[in-house]
Amino acid sequence: MTDDGAPAAVTAYIGLGANLGDAGATLRQALRELAASKGITACEASPFYRSAPVDAGGPDFVNAVARLRTTLAPLALLDLLQALERRHGRERPYRNAPRTLDLDLLLYGDVTMDEPRLTLPHPRMHERAFVLRPLLDLAPALTLPQGRATDLLAAIDDQPIQRIAP
């Protein structure tokens, strides 16, 4: 809380991905909607990347990461992300199904939590080049619980990822 009783803003990182429809347009629209959402005071996006699905089928994904400043609590932010996914037609017929929009809360300040709905930091982000590469664009010196993000990305260099947009 700030001196005036308002919630203090926290930096959070959101992974964005889509592999159905016009994925790039969907990500751009989702970023605009995030930036305009109540409780989001800033939204900065990484470049977009193309990557093959990991542990899933379907077309290639377009991925990015957004750095937010937010006054929303972690579960309230998760609720906002899931509402945006639903608005963009996200369905969950089975685990890792192709998707119109996927929004993952990766980091929320230095908060660590393990709740039924949310684990922070995201438990698999250190295993995914499509998360680490755009995350490093926004936070080049980032260290995760598993180690320096640059070292973690180097350890998974067998996962091809291609920058496609600024």
Side-chain angles (χ1 to χ4, degrees):
M1 292 277 181
T2 62
D3 290 340
D4 64 0
V10 173
T11 298
Y13 290 90
I14 310 301
L16 298 92
N19 71 336
L20 295 177
D22 187 340
T26 299
L27 265 56
R28 285 187 290 280
Q29 180 61 29
L31 287 163
R32 284 190 293 272
E33 291 174 30
L34 269 173
S37 296
K38 184 177 180 177
I40 305 295
T41 60
C43 178
E44 178 184 6
S46 73
F48 288 8
Y49 290 86
R50 180 172 315 284
S51 65
V54 175
D55 299 331
D60 284 353
F61 275 85
V62 175
N63 295 100
V65 168
R67 176 173 42 212
L68 307 179
R69 291 291 292 165
T70 183
T71 57
L72 297 172
L75 290 174
L77 181 54
L78 178 65
D79 290 341
L80 170 65
L81 298 176
Q82 290 177 342
L84 279 172
E85 288 177 338
R86 285 189 301 274
R87 224 175 9 250
H88 285 272
R90 170 75 188 264
E91 296 178 0
R92 299 174 190 266
Y94 54 90
R95 183 172 168 77
N96 295 329
R99 55 209 72 158
T100 55
L101 181 63
D102 186 27
L103 301 172
D104 289 326
L105 181 49
L106 304 172
L107 297 163
Y108 182 93
D110 57 5
V111 170
T112 300
M113 66 187 291
D114 190 2
E115 302 285 331
R117 291 185 56 218
L118 180 61
T119 301
L120 290 171
H122 190 286
R124 290 173 306 284
M125 72 176 160
H126 67 284
E127 302 170 347
R128 309 280 200 250
F130 66 81
V131 172
L132 290 175
R133 178 63 266 156
L135 186 58
L136 282 164
D137 287 327
L138 297 173
L142 184 68
T143 297
L144 301 174
Q146 298 84 4
R148 289 180 351 148
T150 52
D151 296 336
L152 296 167
L153 181 60
I156 53 173
D157 64 359
D158 60 328
Q159 294 178 23
I161 182 168
Q162 176 187 10
R163 185 173 170 164
I164 56 172

